[in-house]
Amino acid sequence: MKKYVYFFGNGKAEGSGSMKELLGGKGAGLAEMTNLGIPVPPGFTITTEACIEYYNNNKQYPEGMWEQALEALKRLEETVGKKFGDPKNPLLVSVRSGARVSMPGMMDTVLNLGLNDETVKGLAEVSNNERFAYDSYRRFIQMFSDVVLGIEHGKFERILDKVKEEKGVKYDTDLDAEDFKKVVDLYKKLVEQELGKPFPQDTMEQLKLAINAVFDSWNNQRAITYRKINKIPDNWGTAVNIVAMVFGNMGNDSGTGVAFTRNPSTGEKEFFGEFLINAQGEDVVAGIRTPEPIAKLKEEMPEVFKQLEEVYKKLETHYKDMQDIEFTVEKGKLYLLQTRSGKRTARAAVKIAYDMYKEGLIDKKTAVLRVKPEQVDQLLHPMIDPNEKYEVLAKGLPASPGAAVGKVVFTAEDAEIWAEKGEDVILVRNETSPEDIGGMNAAKGILTATGGMTSHAAVVARGMGKTCVAGCGAIKIDEEKKQFEVDGKVIKEGDYITINGSTGEVILGKVKLIMPELSGEFAEILKWADEFRKLGVRTNADTPKDSQVARDFGAEGIGLCRTEHMFFEGDRIDAVREMILSDTEEGRRKALEKIKPYQKEDFIGIFKVMDGLPVTIRLLDPPLHEFLPHTDEDIEKVSKASGIPADKLKAKVEELKEFNPMLGHRGCRLGITYPEVYEMQVYAIMEAACECKKEGVDVKPEIMIPLVGHYKELAILKEMVDRVAKEVMESYGVNIDYLVGTMIELPRAALTADEVAQYAEFFSFGTNDLTQTTLGLSRDDSGKFLPLYVEKGIYKEDPFVSLDQSGVGQLVEMGVKKGRSTRPELKTGICGEHGGDPDSIFFCHKIGLNYVSCSPYRVPVARLAAAHAALLEEN
Ligand code: PEP
Ligand code: MG
């Protein structure tokens, strides 16, 4: 017969702390504490397996479960010397849920079970405390009716409030036995009215119904939602814990509380918690009476406090982690009702892990694993003060983390002008384009109505470490009127909004932000992480400033320097347009000569910051039409400024127009058709490298060709790069160790990676485009419907955020394998947005990439995630 029930009591438990899967977190904790000799009321746990079988079996108990429960109940009666349902000296129990991982408040609990019209009298007599007995009974009726019978909690609250009002008192503790008797009568009447039958008096029936209710609560809506958010499988089930009641409501020498062994928000090593005198557990959470800080317990019950201190220290040492405990004091005697590892903020996680290592409680590996990469973002950006209350206007995609407050502006130009005057602004656009860079940089945050997680706004914002909410379809922008509308509310230029790029929330008005800092302890933990990780961590950065930020965060080089923004800045754009508009190669070369010195300057700046580290520079990628003005108004403006006739400009815009620019004349296709553009860039890179080297800078340029689909494209361009490099090095009399490689961002490149690798010294997986082209899903339009796909579970997560491992991942893995089959020493990395996503980093580790590259502010996340990947694989 399968064992479904595990007993604990008298200092011995059938289960143990390692049996969380079977007994749930709470059951395993109770068993472990019992075995440790910590005072725990006796009881038994019905396994999660029983719950799963209950569901598989059309909500019938599996064979033998109920009989085992009755046997355990008998043992429990013997242990405490009371009988369940005995009118003279009744045993009361609590019935509580407990899944493998804690799901606070998501499932159901019933306390004081076993009371009825007869047993309540017995309880009054043996306790010699009628008030306590009827207080317990009214609590039981309310909780049982709410949880098991489905009668709304508020209806009972109103009765209780009325009785208090009639008596002219504020707190439950001011009511006496007679009052509670009255409450019990009114409660029972309410139940009969609601149910059409009396409150169940048979204690066995009560027990069965409560067990069913706990099993059923696994599938209540809030539990389902919680599981979805926290990625907890639906088929784990919950255990049921049936524990002898101990009473915190027996008078002023009794009470109940919850506490953390360290401060869960700062991580400080201090006992932290709250308690209530003469109360039961639910009073602490219900918020009717304000609990006292735990320090007060020391004054009021010094003996109990001393004991509690011993217990919590023992638990922390035993579990080697911060614990979240629940306790009850019954007539001066302490009982522990729960222990589990406590939830904590990122800041606390760092401090606790660091301190525990220094205290010798845990080793370095454990300390590194205690800080979750997903949490680390919190430490690097301003956040909304967790104490703030606010109303959410609309929700978009959480495109770049952190929070920002500012006045709304609708053009990049305005953003710059207002910022210049010292205003904090939020730039609100339908979608940003490369021309908006200046305004984006000047703004505190960016909000867009369209576009996905790899839209221009999202990518650029993350690169800048700037807060961004993208694809917020609920806002309707009217650029003319300089306002946007959400649900009938109009927000005008100059109105304050707050955006939360970590959740996608858009909030009306100013919300208080707090500035987290990169503490010394965090820096230390990252250094430990570096000892364990196998993946390199580089950054995606296009400017010396971003490169410096990334290097300070520990980046080991640049994995992607996009060069297109270098074409936009200042008056370079004029020369770029001249280049695009000229009809001859000669004309284009002339214009390119004007751009070259600027490009060279940019590269010199970056090489200097990255002294000693590799810098991967990608040659121009976007289609040329992106550099031309589009609206009539802009065309007119450019025409005036440049002297180029407006109709010529317009005709060129028309000529370059594409139906699918993402699949159009971009990437290396430009290099093939206009070789002079790429040539200019290679001259600029190599000249910059030679000049830096002459100054003593250790330069390691890696020239990267984008959007290669066929090895012949790369063959042609590599030949050009090598030719120019040779020429430049000879003219400077300097030798540079440079590499030529390619991005793998088209399925064909991955499929033929063995051929491509003949010409590539490195591969960098451009998983933004690779996702777009593999899924046939536009990275700029998907924001409109992809969230629904994720909600429906078609994709577990936005595939532009977290790598679609079973689909796109296959191409990456194949690309690495095939590439290395031709060139074993091939360097491989990833530079799509996935390079900063912990799950995707795990995947990159697993398939043996050499490095990941991500935006500067995600470098610490990547260092930590890479260490976790290595350590978890080891275990
Ligand atoms: C990519 O496609 O993954 C990539 C890094 O390049 P971009 O985002 O610039 O297209
Ligand atoms: Mg790309």
Side-chain angles (χ1 to χ4, degrees):
M1 174 78 63
K2 206 184 235 169
K3 189 167 171 60
Y4 290 109
V5 175
Y6 287 73
F7 187 80
F8 53 91
N10 275 342
K12 250 185 81 186
E14 292 176 343
S16 75
S18 61
M19 294 166 73
K20 269 193 191 163
E21 290 187 10
L22 194 63
L23 302 180
K26 183 173 292 164
L30 288 167
E32 188 78 0
M33 286 196 288
T34 304
N35 287 332
L36 283 172
I38 287 171
V40 170
F44 56 92
T45 303
I46 302 176
T47 62
T48 55
E49 217 168 55
C51 174
I52 297 162
E53 288 183 31
Y54 169 81
Y55 275 110
N56 289 343
N57 211 0
N58 215 0
K59 295 202 177 182
Q60 300 290 317
Y61 295 152
E63 206 188 313
M65 184 205 102
W66 179 243
E67 291 70 23
Q68 290 178 31
L70 290 179
E71 242 169 71
L73 184 64
K74 209 162 179 196
R75 235 173 120 179
L76 186 57
E77 290 175 336
E78 283 159 13
T79 308
V80 292
K82 296 178 187 174
K83 269 194 140 79
F84 190 63
D86 181 357
K88 292 218 165 60
N89 188 13
L91 165 69
L92 304 192
V93 295
S94 64
V95 180
R96 308 171 88 185
S97 61
R100 278 191 215 184
V101 293
S102 89
M103 297 168 55
M106 292 303 130
M107 289 182 300
D108 291 333
T109 293
V110 181
L111 303 181
N112 306 304
L113 189 133
L115 279 173
N116 59 25
D117 294 352
E118 295 309 314
T119 54
V120 69
K121 291 180 198 154
L123 184 66
E125 217 169 290
V126 286
S127 64
N128 198 17
N129 189 339
E130 202 178 27
R131 181 194 179 278
F132 150 71
Y134 282 89
D135 177 33
S136 303
Y137 195 20
R138 63 98 191 175
R139 288 171 185 272
F140 171 56
I141 297 174
Q142 174 167 355
M143 229 176 186
F144 190 89
S145 301
D146 174 21
V147 167
V148 181
L149 305 175
I151 304 173
E152 197 208 320
H153 180 81
K155 292 186 173 159
F156 295 93
E157 286 299 322
R158 282 192 282 279
I159 291 175
L160 187 64
D161 286 344
K162 201 151 164 258
V163 172
K164 282 193 276 188
E165 206 181 294
E166 278 168 14
K167 197 172 179 187
V169 298
K170 196 166 163 205
Y171 296 115
D172 304 356
T173 37
D174 298 326
L175 297 177
D176 60 22
E178 290 312 308
D179 300 322
F180 281 132
K181 278 185 189 169
K182 195 155 113 196
V183 172
V184 163
D185 273 343
L186 292 169
Y187 276 10
K188 284 199 304 190
K189 279 203 188 97
L190 173 69
V191 173
E192 190 150 1
Q193 217 174 14
E194 293 279 323
L195 230 55
K197 56 181 179 193
F199 184 81
Q201 292 287 318
D202 177 350
T203 52
M204 265 320 164
E205 187 191 346
Q206 291 175 357
L207 182 61
K208 230 179 196 171
L209 287 173
I211 293 172
N212 295 351
V214 170
F215 278 165
D216 290 344
S217 71
W218 175 254
N219 272 340
N220 69 30
Q221 198 49 49
R222 55 176 200 272
I224 292 173
T225 310
Y226 185 90
R227 287 203 294 273
K228 209 176 212 165
I229 295 171
N230 292 282
K231 298 187 197 152
I232 298 169
D234 287 330
N235 61 1
W236 279 3
T238 177
V240 187
N241 299 288
I242 293 150
V243 184
M245 280 296 295
V246 286
F247 299 96
N249 57 335
M250 286 191 94
N252 288 337
D253 55 355
S254 304
T256 184
V258 293
F260 293 86
T261 57
R262 305 195 183 204
N263 186 315
S265 91
T266 64
E268 287 304 323
K269 194 176 178 185
E270 57 180 358
F271 193 42
F272 183 90
E274 300 180 319
F275 78 105
L276 267 177
I277 293 279
N278 197 12
Q280 283 198 348
E282 74 270 22
D283 297 343
V284 180
V285 261
I288 306 163
R289 283 164 62 197
T290 312
E292 305 275 3
I294 202 88
K296 256 212 115 193
L297 188 66
K298 196 173 179 176
E299 291 165 28
E300 305 208 1
M301 299 183 190
E303 269 311 305
V304 170
F305 188 80
K306 218 175 108 207
Q307 216 186 333
L308 188 58
E309 253 182 341
E310 266 165 39
V311 166
Y312 94 71
K313 284 181 183 158
K314 189 169 184 178
L315 282 173
E316 201 183 78
T317 313
H318 178 73
Y319 282 101
K320 301 182 193 305
D321 195 7
M322 186 261 269
Q323 297 293 295
D324 163 0
I325 60 175
E326 268 181 52
F327 63 91
T328 282
V329 183
E330 180 185 293
K331 293 190 151 298
K333 183 162 172 29
L334 174 74
Y335 294 94
L336 268 283
L337 302 183
Q338 177 168 302
T339 188
R340 62 185 177 202
S341 103
K343 293 205 186 305
R344 62 205 78 178
T345 62
R347 188 172 150 209
V350 166
K351 171 113 183 88
I352 292 170
Y354 179 84
D355 286 350
M356 284 191 169
Y357 170 72
K358 291 286 167 187
E359 289 160 25
L361 204 55
I362 55 177
D363 62 12
K364 250 186 204 177
K365 289 181 181 176
T366 311
V368 168
L369 286 170
R370 285 279 167 82
V371 183
K372 304 277 166 260
E374 295 82 359
Q375 270 193 318
V376 166
D377 252 356
Q378 283 181 24
L379 297 171
L380 303 168
H381 299 280
M383 313 183 290
I384 290 183
D385 185 333
N387 298 319
E388 285 284 281
K389 297 223 162 20
Y390 52 84
E391 193 191 325
V392 176
L393 258 187
K395 227 170 153 184
L397 300 169
S400 180
V405 181
K407 291 182 175 172
V408 169
V409 292
F410 292 91
T411 67
E413 223 178 338
D414 286 340
E416 288 188 79
I417 295 167
W418 289 44
E420 191 101 325
K421 288 189 285 188
E423 301 272 18
D424 288 346
V425 296
I426 306 286
L427 177 60
V428 181
R429 308 276 293 149
N430 274 317
E431 170 59 302
T432 58
S433 73
E435 288 147 88
D436 293 334
I437 292 277
M440 295 171 79
N441 196 30
K444 289 278 165 199
I446 298 137
L447 168 64
T448 65
T450 61
M453 293 292 283
T454 61
S455 60
H456 180 265
V459 173
V460 172
R462 279 196 292 272
M464 292 176 168
K466 201 147 283 212
T467 297
C468 175
V469 172
C472 183
I475 67 167
K476 304 281 170 266
I477 301 176
D478 187 332
E479 282 189 29
E480 290 273 297
K481 288 197 189 147
K482 297 204 170 182
Q483 63 181 43
F484 72 83
E485 203 188 305
V486 191
D487 275 345
K489 276 201 190 85
V490 175
I491 288 87
K492 293 200 163 65
E493 183 182 62
D495 290 350
Y496 270 107
I497 61 168
T498 302
I499 58 174
N500 186 344
S502 309
T503 60
E505 288 167 340
V506 180
I507 300 154
L508 186 62
K510 283 190 199 180
V511 180
K512 188 166 161 231
L513 305 185
I514 50 173
M515 196 59 205
E517 54 198 53
L518 204 143
S519 69
E521 284 145 2
F522 183 37
E524 194 70 15
I525 286 185
L526 287 176
K527 269 195 218 143
W528 302 343
D530 292 344
E531 292 172 23
F532 303 122
R533 69 182 158 89
K534 306 217 163 69
L535 277 169
V537 176
R538 297 197 192 181
T539 191
N540 294 357
D542 317 336
T543 64
K545 190 172 144 244
D546 286 356
S547 308
Q548 189 61 55
V549 171
R551 191 162 189 170
D552 292 343
F553 278 146
E556 297 159 311
I558 290 183
L560 173 64
C561 169
R562 294 179 168 103
T563 52
E564 41 273 17
H565 95 265
M566 298 176 176
F567 285 71
F568 274 102
E569 245 155 57
D571 28 318
R572 308 177 193 187
I573 186 74
D574 298 337
V576 173
R577 285 173 177 154
E578 188 186 319
M579 185 256 306
I580 297 169
L581 291 165
S582 77
D583 301 318
T584 62
E585 188 187 320
E586 204 194 325
R588 284 195 293 274
R589 283 193 185 275
K590 224 174 91 206
L592 284 163
E593 270 312 305
K594 293 188 197 164
I595 306 167
K596 199 178 93 186
Y598 296 116
Q599 288 250 302
K600 210 162 112 180
E601 269 317 298
D602 292 331
F603 296 136
I604 287 174
I606 291 173
F607 285 145
K608 284 189 175 162
V609 172
M610 285 291 163
D611 190 1
L613 298 175
V615 175
T616 308
I617 298 169
R618 179 181 74 186
L619 303 186
L620 194 67
D621 184 22
L624 295 180
H625 77 88
E626 275 209 12
F627 299 97
L628 293 179
H630 288 273
T631 61
D632 285 350
E633 203 185 330
D634 286 344
I635 289 177
E636 205 55 52
K637 238 200 261 168
V638 171
S639 163
K640 265 205 192 114
S642 63
I644 301 166
D647 53 350
K648 186 169 180 195
L649 261 171
K650 229 183 215 169
K652 195 73 187 180
V653 170
E654 257 333 287
E655 184 193 322
L656 292 176
K657 202 163 162 184
E658 293 177 320
F659 283 108
N660 284 316
M662 277 292 186
L663 302 178
H665 195 179
R666 57 173 283 219
C668 68
R669 298 158 195 173
L670 282 176
I672 297 285
T673 47
Y674 299 110
E676 58 278 6
V677 179
Y678 273 21
E679 255 183 55
M680 177 280 284
Q681 290 197 292
V682 178
Y683 274 110
I685 295 166
M686 293 310 292
E687 286 175 19
C690 289
E691 285 173 27
C692 282
K693 188 155 184 189
K694 280 198 155 169
E695 282 182 40
V697 180
D698 182 10
V699 279
K700 299 189 155 100
E702 302 185 343
I703 297 172
M704 180 154 82
I705 315 290
L707 218 78
V708 163
H710 197 291
Y711 76 92
K712 286 184 187 166
E713 293 170 309
L714 184 62
I716 293 170
L717 292 167
K718 178 169 163 46
E719 195 183 88
M720 179 279 290
V721 174
D722 287 337
R723 171 173 52 78
V724 172
K726 189 159 172 265
E727 183 194 320
V728 175
M729 290 190 295
E730 275 171 10
S731 76
Y732 278 85
V734 166
N735 193 42
I736 304 279
D737 273 332
Y738 70 96
L739 299 180
V740 184
T742 183
M743 295 190 70
I744 302 288
E745 50 184 346
L746 293 178
R748 194 181 191 286
L751 293 166
T752 59
D754 45 348
E755 292 174 350
V756 178
Q758 289 179 319
Y759 298 90
E761 288 161 303
F762 64 88
F763 280 177
S764 180
F765 288 87
T767 44
N768 300 334
D769 274 310
L770 194 57
T771 299
Q772 165 168 265
T773 48
T774 303
L775 273 54
L777 185 61
S778 157
R779 49 197 271 199
D780 288 330
D781 296 320
S782 62
K784 288 182 193 146
F785 57 91
L786 206 48
L788 184 72
Y789 265 56
V790 176
E791 212 171 282
K792 285 200 175 303
I794 298 173
Y795 286 112
K796 213 169 83 210
E797 277 191 75
D798 184 332
F800 289 106
V801 175
S802 195
L803 191 74
D804 161 35
Q805 296 180 14
S806 54
V808 179
Q810 279 195 54
L811 286 170
V812 178
E813 193 171 2
M814 176 194 292
V816 173
K817 274 207 188 108
K818 286 198 157 196
R820 287 191 182 143
S821 72
T822 315
R823 191 188 286 264
E825 75 286 6
L826 183 79
K827 233 202 271 193
T828 57
I830 180 173
C831 64
E833 291 304 306
H834 307 91
D837 167 65
D839 273 350
S840 312
I841 293 170
F842 271 57
F843 179 79
C844 294
H845 169 88
K846 198 178 79 191
I847 63 164
L849 288 191
N850 297 98
Y851 67 87
V852 297
S853 186
C854 57
S855 52
Y857 286 87
R858 286 170 113 184
V859 166
V861 179
R863 287 165 70 191
L864 195 56
H868 277 221
L871 288 172
L872 292 174
E873 184 180 61
E874 227 176 66
N875 288 342

